[in-house]
Amino acid sequence: MADSGKPGAAGFGDGDHFGDRSGDRIVVGLSGSLGSLAALHHAVAEARRTDAEVLAVHCWTPAGGESAYRRTPCPPMLTAGRDTAVARLRQALDEAFGGGYAGVRLRCLAVRGETGHTLVRCADRPGDLLVLGAGSRGRLGRLLHPSVTAYCVRHATCPVLAVPKPPLQRELEALERSHGVSLAPAGQ
């Protein structure tokens, strides 16, 4: 599943097999948000410095969540969800690298599961580093959607690096607050 690091040729998988178990890895959670793209760029820079492999992981759950799927299984919907997750992962990589070469060994996985638990499970080897975008939300946002970063810091068996929001994202959020309008791309 290893590849040259080029997004179009990346080794994509569905998460059932995490690849070989040797060498240092940098596992990065990749949702497509500006914060996750900043985390990916940080992970790639660290991989260049240390000659580690980057494992970009996009976590997904079936429409309606796992409990809804267990109540009413629908394999075609599951396949559609997986295909959507792989497409989103490819799009995030294209946005991050402009369709070009990442410059490091890069593997990509779309993994079914809750984000925090799945990322901790993927970054399970000695020598792994888990890199995440550190989003900040207000109290209500944290109540409705608990922090993936906080979960990973509490449960990971490897070091976790939380990359702060990029300056552009902070500026967009300030504009949104001051004008009461959303400037973020759809789905973020």
Side-chain angles (χ1 to χ4, degrees):
M1 233 193 258
D3 77 309
S4 63
K6 188 170 183 173
F12 283 85
D14 62 9
D16 294 331
H17 168 58
F18 296 126
D20 77 358
R21 307 299 287 175
S22 62
D24 289 345
R25 292 184 309 176
I26 300 172
V27 179
V28 59
L30 188 58
S31 67
S33 70
L34 289 175
S36 74
L37 295 178
L40 176 62
H41 280 276
H42 192 89
V44 166
E46 182 67 14
R48 284 187 188 120
R49 191 180 70 72
T50 62
D51 195 36
E53 174 185 50
V54 174
L55 176 61
V57 179
H58 176 77
C59 303
W60 66 280
T61 56
E66 291 292 344
S67 60
Y69 185 79
R70 282 191 296 274
R71 282 192 307 273
T72 316
C74 179
M77 289 291 289
L78 197 62
T79 300
R82 182 178 48 244
D83 292 347
T84 299
V86 169
R88 188 163 189 188
L89 179 56
R90 286 182 191 275
Q91 179 182 2
L93 290 165
D94 284 344
E95 289 173 4
F97 303 118
Y101 177 62
V104 297
R105 290 174 290 137
L106 173 66
R107 285 189 307 121
C108 308
L109 292 176
V111 183
R112 179 180 169 186
E114 295 300 324
T115 305
H117 175 76
T118 302
L119 290 172
V120 167
R121 193 170 54 107
C122 287
D124 63 347
R125 299 191 299 191
D128 280 355
L129 171 66
L130 179 56
V131 180
L132 306 165
S136 63
R137 290 174 272 194
R139 286 185 189 142
L140 180 60
R142 284 191 303 269
L143 285 173
L144 296 174
H145 304 284
S147 169
V148 170
T149 303
Y151 178 92
C152 291
V153 167
R154 283 192 310 272
H155 294 94
T157 58
C158 68
V160 177
L161 176 62
V163 176
K165 289 182 186 179
L168 176 61
Q169 185 175 0
R170 290 192 298 269
E171 290 173 22
L172 283 173
E173 289 171 356
L175 282 171
E176 289 173 348
R177 282 191 302 275
S178 67
H179 296 318
V181 64
S182 177
L183 302 171
Q188 293 189 26

